[in-house]
Amino acid sequence: MKSMFALVDCNNFYVSCERVFNPKLSDRPVIVLSNNDGCAVARSEEAKAIGIKMGAPAFKIRHLINAHQVAVFSSNYALYGDMSRRVMQTLSRFTDQIEIYSIDEAFLDLSDFPQNTLADRGQQIAATVEQRTGIPVAIGIAPTKTLAKIASRLAKKSTIETRNRSRRVLKLATTPDIKEALKAVSINDIWGIGHQYAARLNKYGITSALALSRMDEQWIQKIMGINGVRVVQELRGIPCYLLENQPTPRKGVTVSQTFRTELDCFEDLKTAIAAYTSRGAEKLRAQGSAANMMLVFAASNRFRAHYTFHTATAHLPVPTNDTPELIHYANQCLREIHKPGILYKKAGIIFKDLVCESPIQTGLFDTRNRKRSRHLMQAVDTINSEMGRGTIKYAAAGLLSNQKWQPLSRQRSPAYTTNWNHLPMAS
DNA sequence: TCTGGGGTCCTAGGACCC
DNA sequence: TCTGGGGTCCTAGGACCC
């Protein structure tokens, strides 16, 4: 049986989410900014056309925004997460062989569907998603995940160029079709090849996906390691990556943030770290994990001279997801790395070496009442999930909102789908 | 003390992804 | 003035052991 994967990719996902609830935005250039209103992380086609690049800092494109009346949004993850769930649910109606790859992409394994029906099936999937969620998608269908990625990219491109929505599905199954596609795709646009490898390969005169697919595997192994060999094989139609439809537990949990302003006060930094630790501990409990190790880092502004970045780690005596205990170790780490006089711009925490939270393993000299603290954490989590995040928090994490370290979010759209108070009004 | 191969485990850094 | 956040995997090198 020949393998066949589909990649379903939402178009300009965050922008499309904003447009679903605000039809006036259609045909207008729209962008969504990263945290802290820093960079453009999603752009409508109109915004791309006027030259706004992915990741462009907001302050550098201010002139474009003003000149073209670009609609600008802060990111609204409550909305995007919820819309993503709806898209994925819709896809699951077609097959249970689905891998949710990211917030806006999913792979489907279509190997069991009859070959000659795949293109039609793709059209049906795209139409259904758009009808039920309002989100437009492009779909690539091919024998490997890497080729399916390429197919979806080409489908998107040709939909835009021809303004023909039936082009949103592209199937690459025959050798000539695949060869034709690889000729048209630059090496920079291949899944697994970033700008470092692209530059290295360019030096050897390899610029197209077709050229890469013809390279000697041993040579590629030397240049790019085992992952490079896999890319080449996938381009040749030999699957190296299978569908992963069992969600694998996270191996680490990170919470980090760039501050609104630079911090020189230890107490501010300590409050921020406590807030991140608390958020991270919530994430651990939500996935049923406990950490063996935590890492705290703090850094100055990386765009200024004398950049500093320091980390400290704590090996926890017993795996834990208990907020006050973790805050205690976070403080210890922070004291190790904090240097007076440095203007801090970013900090964060990482939990590593995660294990399943139960049963609780107790150390010989462990004096904490872990049963009691687990009940307390459960109560806090329940209240926060019913009443809204942050209803109960640790005083160490700061009770005031709008502190110096909290991020900016000037133009967030309402949480249309997850908060009754933000329901759109018909008028 | 020197000789040598081979194995494991850990960590840091580099590359990639969205 | 203003430049995101959260992941994964691989590899090289060091420490240690037999």
Side-chain angles (χ1 to χ4, degrees):
Chain A
M1 170 74 73
K2 201 172 176 203
S3 67
M4 215 30 105
F5 295 94
L7 176 70
V8 183
D9 191 346
C10 301
N11 298 350
N12 317 330
F13 182 58
Y14 298 169
V15 166
S16 296
C17 290
E18 298 292 346
R19 280 180 167 166
V20 167
F21 296 95
N22 194 341
K24 286 182 192 152
L25 296 174
S26 58
D27 303 329
R28 270 188 70 185
V30 182
I31 62 172
V32 176
L33 300 178
S34 63
N35 259 27
N36 233 356
D37 292 346
C39 305
V41 290
R43 305 155 297 153
S44 70
E45 294 309 324
E46 298 80 3
K48 290 175 193 171
I50 60 173
I52 296 181
K53 300 268 181 276
M54 181 65 178
F59 75 94
K60 283 191 180 171
I61 53 172
R62 191 58 61 193
H63 61 290
L64 290 173
I65 292 172
N66 294 338
H68 297 89
Q69 299 182 11
V70 177
V72 179
F73 291 89
S74 304
S75 33
N76 181 348
Y77 289 104
L79 176 65
Y80 311 148
D82 190 56
M83 292 301 288
S84 173
R85 252 188 312 280
R86 291 166 195 236
V87 170
M88 301 306 170
Q89 264 168 20
T90 308
L91 294 177
S92 322
R93 287 155 40 101
F94 292 91
T95 174
D96 57 356
Q97 294 301 302
I98 174 172
E99 172 186 344
I100 298 173
Y101 178 66
S102 74
I103 194 164
D104 67 341
E105 283 170 75
F107 286 103
L108 311 179
D109 187 340
L110 302 182
S111 309
D112 292 338
F113 289 72
Q115 270 277 345
N116 56 352
T117 64
L118 289 180
D120 288 343
R121 185 52 58 104
Q123 292 291 351
Q124 194 191 350
I125 292 172
T128 310
V129 171
E130 182 152 12
Q131 184 206 332
R132 295 175 68 96
T133 67
I135 303 288
V137 300
I139 301 183
I141 302 172
T144 67
K145 284 178 160 183
T146 304
L147 288 171
K149 275 269 198 184
I150 285 175
S152 80
R153 166 179 283 274
L154 291 173
K156 205 177 277 193
K157 200 169 148 214
S158 107
T159 316
I160 295 162
E161 282 169 4
T162 63
R163 295 169 180 265
N164 178 347
R165 299 209 313 166
S166 66
R167 299 287 189 94
R168 61 191 168 181
V169 176
L170 178 65
K171 180 178 135 191
L172 296 176
T174 68
T175 309
D177 283 354
I178 292 174
K179 187 177 158 191
E180 197 63 26
L182 294 186
K183 214 189 281 181
V185 170
S186 140
I187 207 168
N188 312 280
D189 295 333
I190 300 173
W191 191 41
I193 304 210
H195 67 282
Q196 302 281 1
Y197 285 150
R200 208 178 295 178
L201 292 167
N202 273 323
K203 270 200 288 200
Y204 292 97
I206 303 163
T207 54
S208 77
L210 185 63
L212 179 64
S213 74
R214 292 173 168 171
M215 296 314 294
D216 175 67
E217 285 183 18
Q218 286 190 343
W219 184 80
I220 287 295
Q221 162 89 49
K222 265 199 302 214
I223 301 284
M224 297 176 61
I226 188 70
N227 284 324
V229 177
R230 289 181 184 140
V231 169
V232 167
Q233 292 193 330
E234 287 246 321
L235 291 177
R236 293 176 184 163
I238 304 160
C240 298
Y241 302 110
L242 302 179
L243 193 85
E244 291 170 25
N245 60 349
Q246 302 295 358
T248 45
R250 297 253 159 279
K251 301 194 166 164
V253 164
T254 302
V255 181
S256 77
Q257 224 165 44
T258 302
F259 309 132
R260 185 169 3 166
T261 60
E262 295 175 335
L263 301 182
D264 55 359
C265 160
F266 180 75
E267 288 304 313
D268 283 341
L269 199 56
K270 195 171 127 185
T271 310
I273 286 292
Y276 305 156
T277 304
S278 172
R279 176 81 195 104
E282 278 171 24
K283 287 194 194 179
L284 288 177
R285 297 194 294 271
Q287 66 165 39
S289 299
N292 271 301
M293 190 175 133
M294 91 173 288
L295 189 149
V296 173
F297 66 88
S300 64
N301 190 331
R302 69 186 214 274
F303 297 101
R304 288 193 203 282
H306 312 301
Y307 177 59
T308 63
F309 177 96
H310 291 110
T311 66
T313 55
H315 291 268
L316 305 165
V318 170
T320 181
N321 56 23
D322 181 69
T323 301
E325 185 180 15
L326 290 165
I327 289 178
H328 167 80
Y329 287 100
N331 284 337
Q332 207 171 291
C333 291
L334 187 61
R335 278 195 297 273
E336 274 177 47
I337 55 176
H338 176 262
K339 305 254 186 317
I342 293 180
L343 292 175
Y344 291 99
K345 181 64 175 169
K346 177 173 176 153
I349 60 102
I350 303 174
F351 296 130
K352 297 214 289 190
D353 293 351
L354 306 189
V355 293
C356 187
E357 69 176 336
S358 53
I360 295 171
Q361 306 164 22
T362 43
L364 193 53
F365 303 104
D366 191 15
T367 51
R368 293 185 80 90
N369 184 339
R370 296 191 177 272
K371 209 170 184 178
R372 187 165 165 272
S373 62
R374 181 179 288 193
H375 284 142
L376 177 61
M377 289 297 105
Q378 277 168 354
V380 168
D381 289 339
T382 306
I383 290 170
N384 282 336
S385 83
E386 283 171 10
M387 315 278 290
R389 186 191 291 173
T391 302
I392 296 188
K393 41 185 182 180
Y394 276 80
L399 299 176
L400 302 169
S401 58
N402 246 357
Q403 300 186 68
K404 276 188 280 186
W405 50 272
Q406 285 174 332
L408 209 58
S409 201
R410 283 212 185 88
Q411 335 185 56
R412 176 165 304 159
S413 53
Y416 299 107
T417 61
T418 53
N419 186 329
W420 289 114
N421 298 322
H422 292 182
L423 275 182
M425 306 290 272
S427 56

